[in-house]
Amino acid sequence: MLALRLTRGAHPAVHLRRLLVTAASAGTGFLLLCALGHALSHPENPTASVARLAWCTPPLAATVYLSLAVARTDPGTRPRPGLSAIGLGPARLMLVSATTTALATALGSALALLLYLHLRTGPAAPDFLAPHHLLPLPATLTLLAIVPTTASTATAWSLRPRRESAHLAADGAATSPTRRPASGNAASPRRRPAGRRAAGASPHPELAAQPLPVTAGRRAPWGDGGPPRSSEAESPGEAGRWGYPLSEEPGGGTPPAPGSATHPHAPAPDAPVTPAHPNPVAALPWGIATLAAGLAVETYASSRTATPVHLPGGLTASPTTLLTGWLLTAVGLALTGPGLTHLTGRLLQAARPGALRLLAGRILMTEAPRIGRPLGVVCAVASAAYATAALYDPAATPFGPLTTLGALLVAACTVATLLTAAVETRQARADTNAALLRLGAPATTLRTAAALRTAALLAVFAPLTLLVAVLATQPLQAA
């Protein structure tokens, strides 16, 4: 019920992004049902039906990736201070986000079923709609549940609370003994009157009976006779550690107050969860290695004779090893995206930058973990589109409706994910932009910095995408 209320009261832009998730889920569900219809119409050829079902994996991955990006930018399920008091902590909001994603994708699956049932009743329905066969209910429900289950699970895993251990540590620190406050605080609950023990007695007799040993060549500050007696160092009502007054610690000075630089306050249990992004440059060598491995596998596959795998549409049949090389190349591009974005920001600040280049470069370095991965995925999809155009055989069967739908679905989901990541970064730096405007920075400076960042990313990623696409298709064209 809470997820429905948050969905109904969201901003129109949030509704638009959720409608994109619903449309993507409907397209993926329709492709899955078409694979089931082909299996019903051609029971003698199960291999082709399994291949059609396997080719639904890229649209499924693109849909889940888009739903995850939309869930991260949903302001209605973002943790805020004070929500834990009414039972809406990070874990509960994570469940609300997963439920909202499941509702949006389930609506798309229901629309896909309605469209499929409507089209298969036509007079000229194709065979992949199985117009003369009854749809098995278990198989239909299983295929339609794939997208909601996968998307909601990925959302819950990505938005899971990452501060539970910190909360437990903070709770343990609140109940554990802490340093005593200064002697001027008369309301301290840990102060023990000196009259409760005999005069001249040590507050720790067991330690006085067993003097501390010499450690690493250094003697204890009070020698071998144990800690000083309370009669020599404390006044009534001012007993401190080892008999020192509360205002005088053995190291001298007054104990730092909580909230200082050395003793900061523990984080609030309902503080907004800020994901700790790793260093984007750390994954750059792995991305380059994966990209090089994919190109090497493609070159090796072009010189070997293997069983071809028939691609959808009118594409040339390719061996399985070559498809593995393409997959490694796409993964390598996705891994190198954050690191290249971070390095692009560094290059913008090189050679005595001005205020504009410095601002654009610093923002790019900050945004690299958020927009780098979606940008790398877009480059991988663009490389695949170039390879598709290069390998297309006009004499063969042209692109069918399902192939066109799958290609458009993958391209639209990746571009929408990149735009959603840009919205997320804009929301993250809203306070910074407001502070710059309050300090007197003109609004044109912020817009010029955004245009400069876009131009820098295009200058780096466009040639890289074209180079990888040419290297990926050259082995097959030569063969």
Side-chain angles (χ1 to χ4, degrees):
M1 184 61 66
L2 178 61
L4 290 175
R5 289 183 178 181
L6 291 176
T7 301
R8 185 183 60 182
H11 193 269
V14 179
H15 285 303
L16 178 60
R17 292 195 291 268
R18 289 172 179 168
L19 287 178
L20 290 177
V21 174
T22 302
S25 176
T28 305
F30 185 79
L31 291 176
L32 292 172
L33 292 178
C34 289
L36 175 62
H38 184 273
L40 294 176
S41 300
H42 302 276
E44 72 284 352
N45 191 7
T47 304
S49 301
V50 172
R52 284 175 175 265
L53 186 62
W55 282 114
C56 295
T57 305
L60 174 62
T63 302
V64 172
Y65 197 39
L66 175 61
S67 64
L68 183 59
V70 171
R72 283 198 301 260
T73 58
D74 191 353
T77 57
R78 187 172 301 167
R80 297 180 181 89
L83 290 183
S84 293
I86 59 175
L88 292 178
R92 179 70 179 277
L93 290 179
M94 177 267 295
L95 294 178
V96 171
S97 299
T99 305
T100 304
T101 303
L103 289 176
T105 50
L107 178 60
S109 297
L111 293 177
L113 179 61
L114 293 178
L115 179 62
Y116 186 82
L117 294 177
H118 174 71
L119 293 179
R120 71 193 304 262
T121 56
D127 58 348
F128 58 80
L129 295 177
H132 305 292
H133 298 80
L134 293 177
L135 289 178
L137 183 60
T140 303
L141 295 180
T142 301
L143 291 177
L144 291 178
I146 289 177
V147 179
T149 303
T150 309
S152 58
T153 303
T155 301
W157 176 259
S158 178
L159 301 181
R160 68 190 186 279
R162 293 179 174 86
R163 288 177 133 181
E164 295 297 331
S165 58
H167 295 166
L168 294 177
D171 295 341
T175 57
S176 62
T178 56
R179 301 190 66 176
R180 300 179 187 271
S183 60
N185 187 2
S188 174
R190 297 184 180 275
R191 183 169 299 161
R192 179 186 300 175
R196 291 191 178 182
R197 56 177 178 268
S202 172
H204 300 280
E206 67 280 359
L207 295 180
Q210 299 179 3
L212 296 179
V214 179
T215 304
R218 299 180 60 184
R219 302 175 65 86
W222 47 75
D224 296 335
R229 304 301 180 184
S230 60
S231 60
E232 303 173 359
E234 70 178 32
S235 59
E238 298 293 335
R241 187 173 54 184
W242 304 116
Y244 286 93
L246 289 176
S247 59
E248 299 178 6
E249 292 290 336
T254 303
S260 61
T262 57
H263 288 67
H265 286 292
D270 53 358
V273 178
T274 302
H277 298 288
N279 186 9
V281 184
L284 185 59
W286 294 99
I288 295 176
T290 307
L291 182 60
L295 296 176
V297 169
E298 293 171 10
T299 305
Y300 173 78
S302 62
S303 60
R304 305 285 295 182
T305 302
T307 303
V309 176
H310 293 277
L311 303 181
L315 302 181
T316 306
S318 305
T320 308
T321 312
L322 189 61
L323 296 179
T324 304
W326 286 351
L327 179 61
L328 290 176
T329 302
V331 172
L333 282 175
L335 291 177
T336 55
L340 288 179
T341 305
H342 190 274
L343 293 181
T344 303
R346 283 188 175 274
L347 290 177
L348 278 178
Q349 304 174 68
R352 302 180 64 180
L356 187 60
R357 285 201 295 133
L358 186 62
L359 178 62
R362 289 300 178 90
I363 291 179
L364 264 187
M365 293 173 61
T366 306
E367 294 177 352
R370 291 188 177 95
I371 67 172
R373 190 63 53 81
L375 191 56
V377 174
V378 169
C379 292
V381 173
S383 300
Y386 181 89
T388 301
L391 297 177
Y392 177 67
D393 187 7
T397 305
F399 282 169
L402 298 183
T403 305
T404 304
L405 175 62
L408 292 178
L409 188 60
V410 171
C413 286
T414 51
V415 174
T417 302
L418 178 59
L419 296 178
T420 305
V423 172
E424 181 185 4
T425 57
R426 184 176 180 180
Q427 293 176 353
R429 67 171 188 273
D431 295 338
T432 303
N433 292 342
L436 290 175
L437 293 176
R438 286 195 304 267
L439 291 175
T444 55
T445 302
L446 300 179
R447 290 193 291 266
T448 307
L452 183 59
R453 294 195 304 270
T454 304
L457 291 177
L458 287 176
V460 171
F461 281 92
L464 176 65
T465 303
L466 183 60
L467 177 62
V468 172
V470 172
L471 292 178
T473 56
Q474 188 175 4
L476 190 59
Q477 289 178 343

